[in-house]
Amino acid sequence: FAPSVGRLADTAPRVDAARAARAAQACGVGLSCLALPHLADETSWLPLLLAGSAIEALGAVVTKGAPRKDWAPTLLEGDALRKATVSLSNAALLGELAGPALGA
């Protein structure tokens, strides 16, 4: 689903796509939070938890590159933009590598 969501976000206006993605992330987290306390019940809340996680992850596909693609070019130009883009990319890579090791 992620490539389809990415293509859809690329065709929509950036602000609208970011707003919808943030709303999807919030709804996904909300669904997961609703299901989490009930996992020990006899009824199966696991599908709701997994659905919430999937919705949040699809929203993250759209918002993942926003700081580098949208915010930095709006705030910076020239060499400062290049340095900021490299720093943001390095920070994202560090987070992806260190996150699992730290239990995040």
Side-chain angles (χ1 to χ4, degrees):
F1 293 116
S4 300
V5 169
R7 276 193 299 277
L8 182 65
D10 287 341
T11 59
R14 288 222 187 260
V15 172
D16 294 339
R19 188 174 291 135
R22 293 288 181 193
Q25 285 181 294
C27 289
V29 170
L31 283 175
S32 296
C33 288
L34 247 160
L36 197 58
H38 302 289
L39 285 178
D41 294 350
E42 290 181 18
T43 58
S44 179
W45 287 80
L46 185 61
L48 185 62
L49 178 71
L50 295 175
S53 300
I55 292 169
E56 191 280 331
L58 288 174
V61 167
V62 177
T63 60
K64 184 177 181 181
R68 191 176 68 249
K69 292 180 184 176
D70 296 333
W71 304 342
T74 301
L75 300 173
L76 305 167
E77 293 179 351
D79 196 44
L81 175 60
R82 184 187 61 78
K83 288 179 182 178
T85 303
V86 169
S87 296
L88 288 168
S89 296
N90 288 339
L93 182 60
L94 179 65
E96 287 182 25
L97 292 174
L102 298 173

